[in-house]
Amino acid sequence: MTSPIDDLLSVRDYLRFASSQFAASPLFFGHGTDNVWDEAVQLVMRSLHLPLENNTVFLDARLTRQERELILDRVRRRVDERVPLAYLLGEAWFMGMPFHVDERVLVPRSPIGELIENGFQPWLADKSVDRILDLCTGSGCIGIGAASVFPEAEVYLSDISAEALEVAESNIDLHDVRGRVHAVQSDVFESIEGRYDVIVSNPPYVDAEDLSSMPDEYRHEPELGLAAGKDGLDIAHRIIAGAADHLNPGGLLIVEVGNSWVALDDAYPDLPLTWLEFDNGGDGVFLIAEPDLRQWQASN
Ligand SMILES: C[S@@+](CC[C@H](N)C(=O)[O-])C[C@H]1O[C@@H](n2cnc3c(N)ncnc32)[C@H](O)[C@@H]1O
C-alpha cells in the first residue's frame, strides 16, 4: 500500500484516518480507552502534544512531514503490531495524573485509583495515614497517586522487577515526590521493613487459562506483571500470609485480584473480606482491616 502521507495534511485528516484504520481492525481496548474515537483522539492529539479537550482550534492546522510520519507510524504499529496506545505514546493517565510507561511496566488501569481518590473512605474512617506501601508497584501509579491524596504520608513503592522500578523512579521525579516516596526492590514482603497504615496492591493475578487467551495487546505487557500461576493467586496468597506482620494496628490491606476473585473467595471461606464496588467500573478488589486479618490468622 502506498503511504497516504501526501493526501493527509490536517489534524482533522489524521483523526479521520486513525478512526477509520482502528474501526477496520480487530483492536482490543483494555488499556485506558474503550472505543475507536477516543483511541484516535488520544493517539493524534498526544502525539502532537496537544490537549485532549478544547482543541477544536487546531483541527484544520496542517502537520509537518515529521509529525505526519510519526502519527502514521504509530497508527500502523497500533493496528499491525497491536501495541497498546500508552506504549506508543510513552504515557498513561491514572487518577488524572500522567505517568511514564513503557514495556517494562503494565499500563495503569486499576479501579483502586477511585478508592484512593476517595481517600480510602469510608473504610479508613478517621485513622491517620503516615505510611503507605504500594506492593507490586509497576509504574508506581498507585503509590504516587496515594502520595498526592495524602501529602504528609511516606510512601514505599516495591516491586521484584528492577526494570519496573526504573520506571517507578522516573515517575517519582515526574511528580517531584522524591523526598517522601521511595522505591524498594522486594519479592513480595521479603525485603520490606516496618509497618504501614495502608498496604495497597495490584499484583499479578491472571490465571493460566486467561493468560493463554488474552488479546494480542497484552503480549506487549511484561508477563511478570500478569501471570500468577494456575489459579492466578500465587502472589495474592503470599500477600495475605504476610500482611498482618506489616500493618499497623487498625491498618488496611487492599488487593486487586480481578477475575481470580472467585478462586480467592473459595480458597478463604472464613476470611472476612469486603469486596469493593466502584462507580467507574471494575471489580475483584478486596479490603480487610488488620484486626480481622490477625484474628483470622490466630484461628487458622
Ligand atoms: C499487575 S502489575 C501492577 C502494576 C501497578 N501496580 C499498576 O497497577 O499498574 C504487577 C506488578 O507486580 C510485580 N511483581 C510480580 N511478581 C512480584 C513479586 N513476587 N514481588 C513483588 N512484585 C512482583 C510485577 O513486576 C509488576 O510490576
Side-chain angles (χ1 to χ4, degrees):
M1 193 182 90
T2 54
S3 168
I5 195 161
D6 294 319
D7 300 322
L8 303 173
L9 300 176
S10 67
V11 174
R12 192 189 298 275
D13 287 341
Y14 280 87
L15 288 171
R16 199 282 307 159
F17 180 75
S19 300
S20 299
Q21 293 288 306
F22 294 166
S25 311
L27 298 187
F28 184 83
F29 301 104
H31 295 91
T33 69
D34 60 6
N35 64 80
V36 161
W37 173 245
D38 287 348
E39 189 93 350
V41 170
Q42 276 203 21
L43 187 147
V44 173
M45 301 316 267
R46 295 308 298 154
S47 293
L48 297 171
H49 307 287
L50 292 175
L52 295 177
E53 280 155 22
N54 302 323
N55 52 25
T56 50
V57 68
F58 300 114
L59 283 179
D60 295 315
R62 289 182 179 195
L63 277 57
T64 66
R65 176 162 284 269
Q66 204 180 13
E67 289 169 337
R68 286 183 271 158
E69 283 169 354
L70 176 72
I71 293 177
L72 286 176
D73 184 57
R74 287 180 173 175
V75 171
R76 182 193 62 73
R77 294 190 65 206
R78 182 71 188 91
V79 170
D80 293 348
E81 300 171 23
R82 304 280 294 274
V83 180
L85 177 59
Y87 293 151
L88 294 171
L89 297 174
E91 75 174 11
W93 292 77
F94 183 76
M95 293 176 57
M97 301 163 69
F99 288 89
H100 295 144
V101 295
D102 60 33
E103 299 194 10
R104 292 173 290 180
V105 295
L106 247 69
V107 178
R109 52 180 174 272
S110 172
I112 291 173
E114 184 182 317
L115 183 67
I116 301 170
E117 281 172 329
N118 292 336
F120 300 115
Q121 295 300 352
W123 317 103
L124 193 62
D126 56 1
K127 184 173 168 29
S128 67
V129 175
D130 299 324
R131 283 165 59 87
I132 299 172
L133 172 61
D134 172 9
L135 207 57
C136 303
T137 193
S139 62
C141 58
I142 287 179
I144 293 171
S148 78
V149 173
F150 295 93
E152 306 298 323
E154 291 274 316
V155 180
Y156 290 77
L157 313 178
S158 86
D159 204 289
I160 197 171
S161 159
E163 287 195 326
L165 287 174
E166 285 169 13
V167 180
E169 293 271 11
S170 81
N171 284 314
I172 289 175
D173 288 336
L174 178 67
H175 291 284
D176 200 14
V177 284
R178 187 157 289 285
R180 64 189 180 92
V181 179
H182 318 281
V184 185
Q185 190 170 14
S186 178
D187 179 0
V188 190
F189 288 114
E190 274 183 21
S191 307
I192 299 297
E193 291 174 358
R195 292 181 183 270
Y196 299 83
D197 303 302
V198 177
I199 299 176
V200 57
S201 183
N202 174 18
Y205 56 70
V206 181
D207 67 28
E209 192 184 335
D210 281 357
L211 194 69
S212 65
S213 61
M214 293 185 99
D216 287 348
E217 278 80 355
Y218 293 90
R219 306 201 190 291
H220 293 274
E221 297 195 293
E223 189 170 324
L224 185 62
L226 295 169
K230 191 167 183 304
D231 63 359
L233 298 178
D234 282 6
I235 305 295
H237 287 311
R238 294 176 60 195
I239 294 174
I240 289 171
D245 290 340
H246 294 279
L247 279 169
N248 278 326
L252 297 178
L253 171 67
I254 297 150
V255 183
E256 177 172 345
V257 291
N259 283 349
S260 299
W261 76 268
V262 180
L264 189 111
D265 224 26
D266 283 352
Y268 299 94
D270 304 328
L271 186 60
L273 301 176
T274 299
W275 291 99
L276 301 179
E277 292 180 7
F278 297 94
D279 290 341
N280 300 328
D283 53 16
V285 179
F286 73 77
L287 174 146
I288 185 166
E290 174 272 341
D292 293 336
L293 189 55
R294 206 171 278 290
Q295 197 176 22
W296 171 81
Q297 276 182 335
S299 60
N300 278 271

